[in-house]
Amino acid sequence: MNPVATKSTNASGATKPAKSEAPPGTRLIALGDRSVLLPVRPLLGCAALLVAVLAVTAVCLAVGETNLHPVDALRAAFGSGTPRDVLLVEKLRLPRAEAGLAVGAALGAAGCLMQTLAQNRLATPDTVGFNNGATAFAVASVTGTAAQLLPSAAALAGATTAAALAFALGGGTGRNGYRFLVVGLGVGAVFGAVTNLMLSRAAIDSANAAYAWTVGTLNGRDADAVGYLQLGLLVCLPLGMLLGRRLSLLRFSDAVATGLGVRVRGLRVAVLVVAVVCAGLAVAVAGPLGMIALAAPELARRIAGPRTVPVLTSAAAGAALTLTADLLGRTLLSPLEVPAGLVTAVVGGPYLLWLLLTTRPRRTA
């Protein structure tokens, strides 16, 4: 058996430790007397997805009633180019692309954290009621059937309420992951019914104003809500990546994870808070964009491999999928625009059926 590190003798006769060999699939980076072990496949996969996000963003900025070259559209986004191109991109298309990037990244990261926490690929903010709770509170704030709050604040409060109910009634997550999922489906159904009731009783103008919050769209999004979401991502993404390193230990039993130094209950609460904030702020911007939080982590795991919790890669995948759905909704039936939420529902429905048919519950004897 070859040792990982051996001793070698230099010219003066002194011994020094030889370089440690990195495990397969990793790269060892020496930083003075310290070293960092970097996983190669997740980093390359995340880099490839970021390039894809840049390409999709360029196409979204270039395509419309007046088409531009993608390179010219990217230059115009930074204020370079003809005055017409700069005006078209900066004032009309860039805010929508920024909203899509932020919403997709938030939903992808929230979905990855929720699936890993519940140890179930079907556990996402869509399925456990977070999005429905956020939608119900946002619709209530628009229709005036509750205390007047900004839709962004109301959506965050709704997601928090739905999470608290699902977590309390489902007995937490972990080994009760399927119970948590079923309870979340019930909570989401209740909030969905409340939303429909409010819309049916609201005045026609208020119902029309609230309709966008029920289908999911990036058209005409509030700049303040997008700013709040971007600030939330600046905090939640690094925190989610840090929690993900500890969250991978929950694949073992609670006793083993505790023996490895993990505060299991505190970690689960922290992960749940980050997922709720991401999902609530995303719904506050675009409404319930279904299937993004379900498909993005799955795509990220296939790219990054099963050994990590790919929070950043899931965020990049979510951003790419959201922008693609919005682009298809704008262009397929032009000049008629289809909301991005309907595109994700049509495309994601068959994917959800496939996932349901291929997901098998694990024994926890």
Side-chain angles (χ1 to χ4, degrees), residues 55-152:
V56 175
T57 303
V59 175
C60 288
L61 296 177
V63 173
E65 291 186 4
T66 301
N67 293 328
L68 305 175
H69 192 279
V71 176
D72 293 336
L74 284 179
R75 291 177 57 205
F78 292 97
S80 176
T82 65
R84 186 205 66 166
D85 292 350
V86 172
L87 177 64
L88 184 64
V89 171
E90 286 190 343
K91 299 300 182 182
L92 299 179
R93 298 178 182 175
L94 185 59
R96 184 167 182 155
E98 289 179 345
L101 289 171
V103 168
L107 291 177
C112 178
L113 292 172
M114 285 299 306
Q115 288 178 355
T116 310
L117 178 66
Q119 301 178 20
N120 192 319
R121 292 190 296 171
L122 300 177
T124 67
D126 306 330
T127 55
V128 297
F130 294 5
N131 286 2
N132 284 359
T135 300
F137 275 59
V139 168
S141 70
V142 175
T143 59
T145 57
Q148 291 293 322
L149 294 173
L150 291 175
S152 57

Side-chain angles (χ1 to χ4, degrees), residues 229-330:
L229 175 56
Q230 291 171 339
L231 288 176
L233 284 175
L234 287 177
V235 177
C236 290
L237 269 184
L239 185 58
M241 294 169 62
L242 182 62
L243 292 173
R245 294 173 61 90
R246 309 291 291 173
L247 198 57
S248 60
L249 296 177
L250 292 188
R251 294 168 181 168
F252 304 106
S253 66
D254 290 356
V256 173
T258 302
L260 294 173
V262 177
R263 296 181 178 179
V264 175
R265 184 175 181 81
L267 177 61
R268 286 176 175 155
V269 171
V271 170
L272 192 64
V273 169
V274 172
V276 166
V277 171
C278 288
L281 291 178
V283 173
V285 171
L289 283 178
M291 303 300 169
I292 298 296
L294 186 72
E298 187 71 19
L299 176 61
R301 277 189 288 269
R302 291 181 180 274
I303 293 175
R307 297 182 179 180
T308 61
V309 180
V311 177
L312 183 60
T313 308
S314 298
L321 292 175
T322 302
L323 286 181
T324 302
D326 184 57
L327 179 63
L328 292 176
R330 288 196 294 118

